[in-house]
């Protein structure tokens, strides 16, 4: 079942078009990786899906009852965010802010769900620790648990393993795959093309040429073969 339908959108700033006539669909259970050259519009597309930026043209529609405030989001972290002085539990629980409405306090059910999502991310031992005291990988697990509090359907991730060492990177990719296997749809921006073709079900390549299809279709396409070859040479 379709969750997001993107029809002929163009992305950019003012009159500077980065991507034009882009169309694709995200179905329930998909694991979509968005790849492409630096500056090709990957993060701009993510912000457009989130409603933080309007497309220059075209249309994005949400289906199956999905609304923008039911999308979990893990953005690229800034140095200021990494140094945020709050407890792990407080940050995870803040994922429910979009559902508070006129209430000022988190419900018992929300607190229980936050604990369950911390268990899924294997971070319950850090519940009362200050977020800024954690390692980069531990912080990403906290933010994933926070994203899970915002949604039961769809999580968007923008370069979730940036700056992490290989071991922690592999562990985080495994956790994301577990979430997808459990039924959560994943959309992830990534520079790691090798991981994209290993873990995802579909690839969206944005840049001077556009591609959308399954991983096998991407690996057998001209643009996929070229980009993978460049990646292996270390030039991406």
């Amino acid at each position: 079942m379709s969750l997001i339908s993107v029809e002929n959108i163009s992305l950019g700033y003012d009159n500077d078009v980065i991507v034009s006539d882009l169309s694709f669909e995200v179905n329930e259970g998909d694991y979509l990786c968005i790849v492409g050259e630096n500056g090709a519009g990957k993060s701009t597309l993510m912000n457009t899906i989130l409603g933080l930026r309007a497309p220059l043209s075209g249309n994005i529609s949400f289906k199956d009852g999905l609304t923008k405030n039911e999308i979990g989001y893990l953005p690229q972290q800034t140095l200021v965010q990494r140094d945020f002085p709050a407890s792990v539990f407080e940050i995870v629980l803040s994922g429910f802010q979009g559902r508070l409405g006129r209430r000022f306090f988190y419900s018992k059910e929300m607190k229980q769900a936050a604990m369950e999502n911390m268990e899924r991310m294997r971070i319950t031992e850090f519940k009362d620790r200050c977020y800024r005291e954690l390692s980069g990988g531990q912080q990403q697990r906290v933010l994933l648990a926070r994203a899970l509090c915002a949604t039961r359907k769809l999580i968007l991730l923008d370069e979730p393993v940036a700056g992490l060492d290989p071991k922690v990177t592999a562990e985080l990719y495994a956790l994301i795959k577990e979430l997808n296997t459990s039924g959560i749809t994943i959309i992830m921006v990534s520079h790691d093309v090798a991981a994209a073709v290993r873990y995802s079900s579909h690839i969206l390549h944005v840049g001077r040429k556009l591609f959308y299809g399954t991983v096998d279709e991407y690996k057998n396409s001209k643009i996929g073969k070229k980009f993978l070859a460049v990646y292996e040479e270390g030039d991406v």
Side-chain angles (χ1 to χ4, degrees):
M1 182 176 292
S2 176
L3 289 179
I4 299 177
S5 180
V6 177
E7 300 175 277
N8 302 116
I9 66 167
S10 294
L11 307 173
Y13 306 88
D14 298 323
N15 294 321
D16 183 14
V17 178
I18 301 174
V19 178
S20 60
D21 297 322
L22 173 62
S23 297
F24 65 94
E25 199 162 67
V26 181
N27 293 310
E28 186 175 345
D30 281 355
Y31 188 151
L32 173 67
C33 271
I34 304 172
V35 302
E37 297 83 355
N38 291 331
K42 300 186 295 295
S43 292
T44 302
L45 173 59
M46 188 76 81
N47 289 333
T48 304
I49 293 173
L50 288 166
L52 302 176
R53 174 175 292 277
L56 298 178
S57 63
N59 182 61
I60 297 178
S61 57
F62 298 89
K63 303 183 179 180
D64 192 30
L66 181 69
T67 61
K68 291 177 183 177
N69 65 353
E70 293 176 318
I71 298 176
Y73 179 45
L74 196 160
Q76 292 189 47
Q77 278 205 89
T78 65
L79 290 176
V80 173
Q81 289 168 332
R82 291 192 181 100
D83 200 37
F84 197 67
S87 75
V88 166
F89 186 63
E90 288 171 331
I91 288 179
V92 173
L93 196 56
S94 70
F96 285 112
Q97 283 185 349
R99 302 189 197 175
L100 283 178
R102 297 182 179 180
R103 291 176 296 181
F104 295 101
F105 303 101
Y106 297 107
S107 67
K108 180 180 179 181
E109 291 75 19
M110 288 176 176
K111 292 177 181 179
Q112 179 61 37
M115 287 300 302
E116 291 172 357
N117 288 327
M118 289 171 63
E119 287 180 20
R120 293 177 77 176
M121 293 296 102
R122 300 143 170 83
I123 55 170
T124 51
E125 63 185 288
F126 306 128
K127 175 179 179 290
D128 298 316
R129 289 272 301 276
C130 183
Y131 176 76
R132 63 185 177 188
E133 296 174 356
L134 303 182
S135 69
Q138 291 165 346
Q139 288 185 343
Q140 290 299 78
R141 288 176 183 238
V142 172
L143 296 180
L144 266 177
R146 180 184 186 276
L148 284 170
C149 288
T151 187
R152 294 185 179 91
K153 293 183 178 181
L154 173 66
I155 291 181
L156 274 60
L157 307 103
D158 195 351
E159 299 286 356
V161 301
L164 303 181
D165 66 51
K167 180 177 182 296
V168 176
T169 292
E171 291 171 349
L172 196 63
Y173 276 138
L175 279 173
I176 294 168
K177 185 63 177 178
E178 282 182 25
L179 294 178
N180 180 241
T181 302
S182 73
I184 294 177
T185 303
I186 302 291
I187 301 177
M188 180 170 69
V189 168
S190 180
H191 281 98
D192 190 346
V193 185
V197 298
R198 178 179 180 184
Y199 293 105
S200 66
S201 61
H202 293 76
I203 299 288
L204 173 63
H205 186 119
V206 296
R208 286 166 290 183
K209 292 187 177 181
L210 301 174
F211 173 92
Y212 170 69
T214 66
V215 167
D216 285 339
E217 289 169 344
Y218 181 66
K219 289 192 291 187
N220 291 317
S221 68
K222 288 184 179 180
I223 189 172
K225 289 178 179 178
K226 181 179 179 180
F227 199 67
L228 286 165
V230 172
Y231 179 84
E232 290 170 358
E233 292 171 4
D235 294 332
V236 175

mmCIF file of all heavy atoms in Angstrom, residues 62-102:
data_model
loop_
_atom_site.group_PDB
_atom_site.id
_atom_site.type_symbol
_atom_site.label_atom_id
_atom_site.label_comp_id
_atom_site.label_asym_id
_atom_site.label_seq_id
_atom_site.Cartn_x
_atom_site.Cartn_y
_atom_site.Cartn_z
ATOM 1 N N PHE A 62 0.290 12.238 0.808
ATOM 2 C CA PHE A 62 0.403 11.201 1.826
ATOM 3 C C PHE A 62 -0.858 10.353 1.807
ATOM 4 O O PHE A 62 -1.965 10.882 1.716
ATOM 5 C CB PHE A 62 0.617 11.819 3.202
ATOM 6 C CG PHE A 62 1.875 12.624 3.318
ATOM 7 C CD1 PHE A 62 1.887 13.979 3.013
ATOM 8 C CD2 PHE A 62 3.056 12.022 3.700
ATOM 9 C CE1 PHE A 62 3.047 14.713 3.114
ATOM 10 C CE2 PHE A 62 4.223 12.747 3.807
ATOM 11 C CZ PHE A 62 4.223 14.094 3.504
ATOM 12 N N LYS A 63 -0.668 9.050 1.926
ATOM 13 C CA LYS A 63 -1.803 8.127 1.801
ATOM 14 C C LYS A 63 -1.869 7.193 3.001
ATOM 15 O O LYS A 63 -1.023 7.250 3.905
ATOM 16 C CB LYS A 63 -1.687 7.344 0.488
ATOM 17 C CG LYS A 63 -1.613 8.267 -0.736
ATOM 18 C CD LYS A 63 -1.576 7.498 -2.033
ATOM 19 C CE LYS A 63 -1.536 8.459 -3.225
ATOM 20 N NZ LYS A 63 -1.503 7.751 -4.511
ATOM 21 N N ASP A 64 -2.876 6.324 3.017
ATOM 22 C CA ASP A 64 -3.095 5.360 4.092
ATOM 23 C C ASP A 64 -3.198 6.049 5.452
ATOM 24 O O ASP A 64 -2.738 5.525 6.468
ATOM 25 C CB ASP A 64 -1.977 4.316 4.106
ATOM 26 C CG ASP A 64 -2.314 3.119 5.009
ATOM 27 O OD1 ASP A 64 -3.508 2.801 5.142
ATOM 28 O OD2 ASP A 64 -1.383 2.531 5.587
ATOM 29 N N GLY A 65 -3.754 7.252 5.477
ATOM 30 C CA GLY A 65 -3.953 7.954 6.740
ATOM 31 C C GLY A 65 -2.707 8.593 7.311
ATOM 32 O O GLY A 65 -2.746 9.132 8.432
ATOM 33 N N LEU A 66 -1.592 8.565 6.582
ATOM 34 C CA LEU A 66 -0.346 9.132 7.083
ATOM 35 C C LEU A 66 -0.407 10.658 7.061
ATOM 36 O O LEU A 66 -0.843 11.263 6.089
ATOM 37 C CB LEU A 66 0.828 8.657 6.220
ATOM 38 C CG LEU A 66 2.217 9.149 6.627
ATOM 39 C CD1 LEU A 66 2.643 8.507 7.944
ATOM 40 C CD2 LEU A 66 3.239 8.829 5.531
ATOM 41 N N THR A 67 0.025 11.288 8.154
ATOM 42 C CA THR A 67 0.131 12.740 8.210
ATOM 43 C C THR A 67 1.576 13.118 8.529
ATOM 44 O O THR A 67 2.351 12.289 9.001
ATOM 45 C CB THR A 67 -0.791 13.336 9.294
ATOM 46 O OG1 THR A 67 -0.402 12.825 10.577
ATOM 47 C CG2 THR A 67 -2.238 12.973 9.017
ATOM 48 N N LYS A 68 1.926 14.371 8.278
ATOM 49 C CA LYS A 68 3.311 14.807 8.459
ATOM 50 C C LYS A 68 3.783 14.679 9.902
ATOM 51 O O LYS A 68 4.961 14.399 10.148
ATOM 52 C CB LYS A 68 3.463 16.264 7.989
ATOM 53 C CG LYS A 68 3.320 16.433 6.482
ATOM 54 C CD LYS A 68 3.398 17.884 6.061
ATOM 55 C CE LYS A 68 3.189 18.032 4.559
ATOM 56 N NZ LYS A 68 3.182 19.454 4.136
ATOM 57 N N ASN A 69 2.864 14.887 10.872
ATOM 58 C CA ASN A 69 3.288 14.783 12.264
ATOM 59 C C ASN A 69 3.347 13.343 12.761
ATOM 60 O O ASN A 69 3.591 13.100 13.942
ATOM 61 C CB ASN A 69 2.380 15.622 13.180
ATOM 62 C CG ASN A 69 0.954 15.113 13.219
ATOM 63 O OD1 ASN A 69 0.582 14.213 12.481
ATOM 64 N ND2 ASN A 69 0.145 15.700 14.097
ATOM 65 N N GLU A 70 3.135 12.377 11.847
ATOM 66 C CA GLU A 70 3.278 10.958 12.194
ATOM 67 C C GLU A 70 4.514 10.354 11.533
ATOM 68 O O GLU A 70 4.635 9.139 11.434
ATOM 69 C CB GLU A 70 2.045 10.175 11.758
ATOM 70 C CG GLU A 70 0.781 10.536 12.526
ATOM 71 C CD GLU A 70 -0.441 9.797 11.994
ATOM 72 O OE1 GLU A 70 -0.587 9.692 10.766
ATOM 73 O OE2 GLU A 70 -1.230 9.335 12.821
ATOM 74 N N ILE A 71 5.429 11.205 11.096
ATOM 75 C CA ILE A 71 6.668 10.746 10.492
ATOM 76 C C ILE A 71 7.807 10.919 11.491
ATOM 77 O O ILE A 71 8.009 12.012 12.022
ATOM 78 C CB ILE A 71 6.994 11.537 9.204
ATOM 79 C CG1 ILE A 71 5.894 11.320 8.159
ATOM 80 C CG2 ILE A 71 8.340 11.121 8.638
ATOM 81 C CD1 ILE A 71 6.088 12.144 6.896
ATOM 82 N N GLY A 72 8.532 9.840 11.774
ATOM 83 C CA GLY A 72 9.713 9.944 12.614
ATOM 84 C C GLY A 72 10.879 10.462 11.789
ATOM 85 O O GLY A 72 11.024 10.099 10.624
ATOM 86 N N TYR A 73 11.708 11.302 12.399
ATOM 87 C CA TYR A 73 12.786 11.939 11.656
ATOM 88 C C TYR A 73 14.064 11.947 12.479
ATOM 89 O O TYR A 73 14.066 12.352 13.641
ATOM 90 C CB TYR A 73 12.386 13.369 11.293
ATOM 91 C CG TYR A 73 13.430 14.156 10.537
ATOM 92 C CD1 TYR A 73 14.130 13.597 9.470
ATOM 93 C CD2 TYR A 73 13.705 15.483 10.880
ATOM 94 C CE1 TYR A 73 15.075 14.328 8.772
ATOM 95 C CE2 TYR A 73 14.645 16.225 10.176
ATOM 96 C CZ TYR A 73 15.334 15.640 9.125
ATOM 97 O OH TYR A 73 16.276 16.367 8.437
ATOM 98 N N LEU A 74 15.144 11.494 11.856
ATOM 99 C CA LEU A 74 16.467 11.565 12.462
ATOM 100 C C LEU A 74 17.344 12.419 11.552
ATOM 101 O O LEU A 74 17.805 11.951 10.521
ATOM 102 C CB LEU A 74 17.071 10.163 12.643
ATOM 103 C CG LEU A 74 18.269 10.040 13.590
ATOM 104 C CD1 LEU A 74 18.429 8.598 14.049
ATOM 105 C CD2 LEU A 74 19.565 10.498 12.940
ATOM 106 N N PRO A 75 17.546 13.708 11.914
ATOM 107 C CA PRO A 75 18.322 14.608 11.058
ATOM 108 C C PRO A 75 19.817 14.433 11.282
ATOM 109 O O PRO A 75 20.249 13.744 12.215
ATOM 110 C CB PRO A 75 17.870 15.990 11.535
ATOM 111 C CG PRO A 75 17.588 15.783 12.994
ATOM 112 C CD PRO A 75 17.015 14.381 13.110
ATOM 113 N N GLN A 76 20.613 15.065 10.427
ATOM 114 C CA GLN A 76 22.031 15.153 10.689
ATOM 115 C C GLN A 76 22.219 16.009 11.935
ATOM 116 O O GLN A 76 21.612 17.054 12.082
ATOM 117 C CB GLN A 76 22.765 15.799 9.516
ATOM 118 C CG GLN A 76 22.777 14.952 8.252
ATOM 119 C CD GLN A 76 23.695 15.544 7.204
ATOM 120 O OE1 GLN A 76 24.826 15.915 7.480
ATOM 121 N NE2 GLN A 76 23.204 15.639 5.974
ATOM 122 N N GLN A 77 23.099 15.554 12.821
ATOM 123 C CA GLN A 77 23.324 16.280 14.060
ATOM 124 C C GLN A 77 24.349 17.400 13.890
ATOM 125 O O GLN A 77 25.350 17.237 13.206
ATOM 126 C CB GLN A 77 23.832 15.332 15.152
ATOM 127 C CG GLN A 77 22.742 14.552 15.849
ATOM 128 C CD GLN A 77 23.170 14.128 17.236
ATOM 129 O OE1 GLN A 77 22.980 14.845 18.208
ATOM 130 N NE2 GLN A 77 23.745 12.948 17.320
ATOM 131 N N THR A 78 24.085 18.508 14.571
ATOM 132 C CA THR A 78 25.060 19.587 14.651
ATOM 133 C C THR A 78 25.829 19.448 15.966
ATOM 134 O O THR A 78 25.431 18.691 16.871
ATOM 135 C CB THR A 78 24.372 20.957 14.624
ATOM 136 O OG1 THR A 78 23.561 21.092 15.809
ATOM 137 C CG2 THR A 78 23.476 21.094 13.390
ATOM 138 N N LEU A 79 26.933 20.182 16.096
ATOM 139 C CA LEU A 79 27.711 20.146 17.332
ATOM 140 C C LEU A 79 26.882 20.618 18.514
ATOM 141 O O LEU A 79 27.000 20.095 19.625
ATOM 142 C CB LEU A 79 28.963 21.015 17.180
ATOM 143 C CG LEU A 79 30.042 20.476 16.222
ATOM 144 C CD1 LEU A 79 31.168 21.491 16.089
ATOM 145 C CD2 LEU A 79 30.582 19.142 16.724
ATOM 146 N N VAL A 80 26.022 21.613 18.297
ATOM 147 C CA VAL A 80 25.170 22.117 19.367
ATOM 148 C C VAL A 80 24.207 21.040 19.837
ATOM 149 O O VAL A 80 23.994 20.846 21.042
ATOM 150 C CB VAL A 80 24.389 23.361 18.896
ATOM 151 C CG1 VAL A 80 23.361 23.784 19.949
ATOM 152 C CG2 VAL A 80 25.349 24.506 18.615
ATOM 153 N N GLN A 81 23.612 20.299 18.890
ATOM 154 C CA GLN A 81 22.670 19.241 19.262
ATOM 155 C C GLN A 81 23.361 18.113 20.020
ATOM 156 O O GLN A 81 22.786 17.532 20.940
ATOM 157 C CB GLN A 81 21.995 18.701 18.000
ATOM 158 C CG GLN A 81 21.011 19.679 17.381
ATOM 159 C CD GLN A 81 20.572 19.258 15.985
ATOM 160 O OE1 GLN A 81 21.312 18.588 15.267
ATOM 161 N NE2 GLN A 81 19.377 19.673 15.603
ATOM 162 N N ARG A 82 24.591 17.783 19.639
ATOM 163 C CA ARG A 82 25.324 16.722 20.337
ATOM 164 C C ARG A 82 25.605 17.090 21.785
ATOM 165 O O ARG A 82 25.825 16.218 22.620
ATOM 166 C CB ARG A 82 26.642 16.430 19.607
ATOM 167 C CG ARG A 82 26.479 15.778 18.252
ATOM 168 C CD ARG A 82 27.811 15.273 17.735
ATOM 169 N NE ARG A 82 27.666 14.665 16.423
ATOM 170 C CZ ARG A 82 27.969 15.274 15.287
ATOM 171 N NH1 ARG A 82 28.465 16.504 15.308
ATOM 172 N NH2 ARG A 82 27.808 14.667 14.128
ATOM 173 N N ASP A 83 25.612 18.371 22.088
ATOM 174 C CA ASP A 83 25.944 18.849 23.431
ATOM 175 C C ASP A 83 24.694 19.230 24.222
ATOM 176 O O ASP A 83 24.766 19.971 25.188
ATOM 177 C CB ASP A 83 26.888 20.064 23.310
ATOM 178 C CG ASP A 83 27.660 20.307 24.605
ATOM 179 O OD1 ASP A 83 28.048 19.324 25.263
ATOM 180 O OD2 ASP A 83 27.857 21.483 24.959
ATOM 181 N N PHE A 84 23.539 18.692 23.806
ATOM 182 C CA PHE A 84 22.269 19.072 24.431
ATOM 183 C C PHE A 84 22.198 18.540 25.867
ATOM 184 O O PHE A 84 22.387 17.342 26.106
ATOM 185 C CB PHE A 84 21.104 18.514 23.613
ATOM 186 C CG PHE A 84 19.799 19.164 23.933
ATOM 187 C CD1 PHE A 84 19.564 20.493 23.616
ATOM 188 C CD2 PHE A 84 18.787 18.449 24.557
ATOM 189 C CE1 PHE A 84 18.345 21.101 23.917
ATOM 190 C CE2 PHE A 84 17.574 19.043 24.859
ATOM 191 C CZ PHE A 84 17.359 20.377 24.535
ATOM 192 N N PRO A 85 21.928 19.417 26.868
ATOM 193 C CA PRO A 85 21.979 19.008 28.281
ATOM 194 C C PRO A 85 20.655 18.469 28.810
ATOM 195 O O PRO A 85 20.014 19.063 29.680
ATOM 196 C CB PRO A 85 22.363 20.313 28.988
ATOM 197 C CG PRO A 85 21.692 21.364 28.158
ATOM 198 C CD PRO A 85 21.758 20.867 26.726
ATOM 199 N N ALA A 86 20.217 17.335 28.306
ATOM 200 C CA ALA A 86 18.971 16.716 28.786
ATOM 201 C C ALA A 86 19.234 15.228 28.991
ATOM 202 O O ALA A 86 20.199 14.663 28.453
ATOM 203 C CB ALA A 86 17.845 16.924 27.782
ATOM 204 N N SER A 87 18.382 14.592 29.768
ATOM 205 C CA SER A 87 18.547 13.158 29.989
ATOM 206 C C SER A 87 18.085 12.382 28.759
ATOM 207 O O SER A 87 17.299 12.881 27.951
ATOM 208 C CB SER A 87 17.749 12.700 31.207
ATOM 209 O OG SER A 87 16.360 12.648 30.912
ATOM 210 N N VAL A 88 18.569 11.161 28.652
ATOM 211 C CA VAL A 88 18.189 10.296 27.536
ATOM 212 C C VAL A 88 16.680 10.098 27.503
ATOM 213 O O VAL A 88 16.044 10.201 26.446
ATOM 214 C CB VAL A 88 18.929 8.944 27.639
ATOM 215 C CG1 VAL A 88 18.302 7.912 26.700
ATOM 216 C CG2 VAL A 88 20.406 9.121 27.331
ATOM 217 N N PHE A 89 16.086 9.842 28.652
ATOM 218 C CA PHE A 89 14.645 9.602 28.697
ATOM 219 C C PHE A 89 13.862 10.831 28.247
ATOM 220 O O PHE A 89 12.860 10.722 27.529
ATOM 221 C CB PHE A 89 14.226 9.190 30.112
ATOM 222 C CG PHE A 89 12.771 8.794 30.218
ATOM 223 C CD1 PHE A 89 12.289 7.691 29.526
ATOM 224 C CD2 PHE A 89 11.902 9.516 31.013
ATOM 225 C CE1 PHE A 89 10.954 7.316 29.616
ATOM 226 C CE2 PHE A 89 10.569 9.141 31.115
ATOM 227 C CZ PHE A 89 10.100 8.046 30.416
ATOM 228 N N GLU A 90 14.307 12.014 28.653
ATOM 229 C CA GLU A 90 13.627 13.245 28.253
ATOM 230 C C GLU A 90 13.657 13.431 26.740
ATOM 231 O O GLU A 90 12.664 13.841 26.133
ATOM 232 C CB GLU A 90 14.284 14.452 28.931
ATOM 233 C CG GLU A 90 13.995 14.559 30.420
ATOM 234 C CD GLU A 90 14.817 15.633 31.095
ATOM 235 O OE1 GLU A 90 15.945 15.922 30.629
ATOM 236 O OE2 GLU A 90 14.336 16.191 32.100
ATOM 237 N N ILE A 91 14.803 13.121 26.130
ATOM 238 C CA ILE A 91 14.919 13.290 24.683
ATOM 239 C C ILE A 91 14.054 12.273 23.948
ATOM 240 O O ILE A 91 13.346 12.613 22.987
ATOM 241 C CB ILE A 91 16.392 13.179 24.248
ATOM 242 C CG1 ILE A 91 17.140 14.430 24.702
ATOM 243 C CG2 ILE A 91 16.513 12.998 22.733
ATOM 244 C CD1 ILE A 91 18.602 14.452 24.371
ATOM 245 N N VAL A 92 14.078 11.025 24.389
ATOM 246 C CA VAL A 92 13.247 9.997 23.749
ATOM 247 C C VAL A 92 11.773 10.361 23.878
ATOM 248 O O VAL A 92 11.009 10.306 22.907
ATOM 249 C CB VAL A 92 13.523 8.613 24.362
ATOM 250 C CG1 VAL A 92 12.531 7.573 23.821
ATOM 251 C CG2 VAL A 92 14.956 8.170 24.072
ATOM 252 N N LEU A 93 11.362 10.774 25.062
ATOM 253 C CA LEU A 93 9.959 11.118 25.310
ATOM 254 C C LEU A 93 9.509 12.310 24.466
ATOM 255 O O LEU A 93 8.329 12.406 24.088
ATOM 256 C CB LEU A 93 9.774 11.419 26.799
ATOM 257 C CG LEU A 93 8.355 11.441 27.378
ATOM 258 C CD1 LEU A 93 7.635 10.126 27.117
ATOM 259 C CD2 LEU A 93 8.416 11.740 28.869
ATOM 260 N N SER A 94 10.429 13.197 24.130
ATOM 261 C CA SER A 94 10.064 14.377 23.336
ATOM 262 C C SER A 94 9.584 14.007 21.943
ATOM 263 O O SER A 94 9.011 14.850 21.243
ATOM 264 C CB SER A 94 11.250 15.342 23.243
ATOM 265 O OG SER A 94 12.288 14.819 22.424
ATOM 266 N N GLY A 95 9.797 12.768 21.515
ATOM 267 C CA GLY A 95 9.262 12.317 20.238
ATOM 268 C C GLY A 95 7.746 12.358 20.186
ATOM 269 O O GLY A 95 7.146 12.351 19.105
ATOM 270 N N PHE A 96 7.100 12.430 21.349
ATOM 271 C CA PHE A 96 5.641 12.475 21.414
ATOM 272 C C PHE A 96 5.087 13.902 21.364
ATOM 273 O O PHE A 96 3.867 14.084 21.455
ATOM 274 C CB PHE A 96 5.141 11.807 22.704
ATOM 275 C CG PHE A 96 5.206 10.311 22.678
ATOM 276 C CD1 PHE A 96 6.099 9.632 23.494
ATOM 277 C CD2 PHE A 96 4.379 9.574 21.837
ATOM 278 C CE1 PHE A 96 6.158 8.248 23.481
ATOM 279 C CE2 PHE A 96 4.430 8.186 21.813
ATOM 280 C CZ PHE A 96 5.329 7.524 22.641
ATOM 281 N N GLN A 97 5.944 14.908 21.248
ATOM 282 C CA GLN A 97 5.466 16.288 21.305
ATOM 283 C C GLN A 97 4.388 16.581 20.264
ATOM 284 O O GLN A 97 3.456 17.346 20.525
ATOM 285 C CB GLN A 97 6.642 17.250 21.122
ATOM 286 C CG GLN A 97 7.487 17.399 22.365
ATOM 287 C CD GLN A 97 8.573 18.431 22.201
ATOM 288 O OE1 GLN A 97 8.844 18.905 21.105
ATOM 289 N NE2 GLN A 97 9.230 18.778 23.303
ATOM 290 N N GLY A 98 4.520 15.986 19.079
ATOM 291 C CA GLY A 98 3.538 16.233 18.027
ATOM 292 C C GLY A 98 2.163 15.681 18.343
ATOM 293 O O GLY A 98 1.175 16.037 17.681
ATOM 294 N N ARG A 99 2.059 14.819 19.355
ATOM 295 C CA ARG A 99 0.768 14.228 19.713
ATOM 296 C C ARG A 99 0.167 14.813 20.996
ATOM 297 O O ARG A 99 -0.898 14.379 21.431
ATOM 298 C CB ARG A 99 0.927 12.711 19.904
ATOM 299 C CG ARG A 99 1.455 11.983 18.686
ATOM 300 C CD ARG A 99 1.364 10.490 18.915
ATOM 301 N NE ARG A 99 2.203 9.726 17.990
ATOM 302 C CZ ARG A 99 2.357 8.416 18.050
ATOM 303 N NH1 ARG A 99 1.730 7.716 18.977
ATOM 304 N NH2 ARG A 99 3.139 7.783 17.178
ATOM 305 N N LEU A 100 0.865 15.743 21.614
ATOM 306 C CA LEU A 100 0.375 16.278 22.882
ATOM 307 C C LEU A 100 -0.887 17.105 22.718
ATOM 308 O O LEU A 100 -1.735 17.128 23.604
ATOM 309 C CB LEU A 100 1.471 17.123 23.547
ATOM 310 C CG LEU A 100 2.603 16.358 24.228
ATOM 311 C CD1 LEU A 100 3.629 17.332 24.783
ATOM 312 C CD2 LEU A 100 2.066 15.456 25.333
ATOM 313 N N GLY A 101 -1.002 17.801 21.577
ATOM 314 C CA GLY A 101 -2.161 18.653 21.387
ATOM 315 C C GLY A 101 -2.191 19.751 22.428
ATOM 316 O O GLY A 101 -1.208 20.476 22.610
ATOM 317 N N ARG A 102 -3.305 19.851 23.161
ATOM 318 C CA ARG A 102 -3.444 20.895 24.178
ATOM 319 C C ARG A 102 -2.956 20.441 25.545
ATOM 320 O O ARG A 102 -2.992 21.215 26.509
ATOM 321 C CB ARG A 102 -4.907 21.332 24.276
ATOM 322 C CG ARG A 102 -5.434 21.973 22.988
ATOM 323 C CD ARG A 102 -6.868 22.427 23.167
ATOM 324 N NE ARG A 102 -7.373 23.060 21.950
ATOM 325 C CZ ARG A 102 -8.597 23.552 21.830
ATOM 326 N NH1 ARG A 102 -9.440 23.466 22.853
ATOM 327 N NH2 ARG A 102 -8.982 24.111 20.695
#
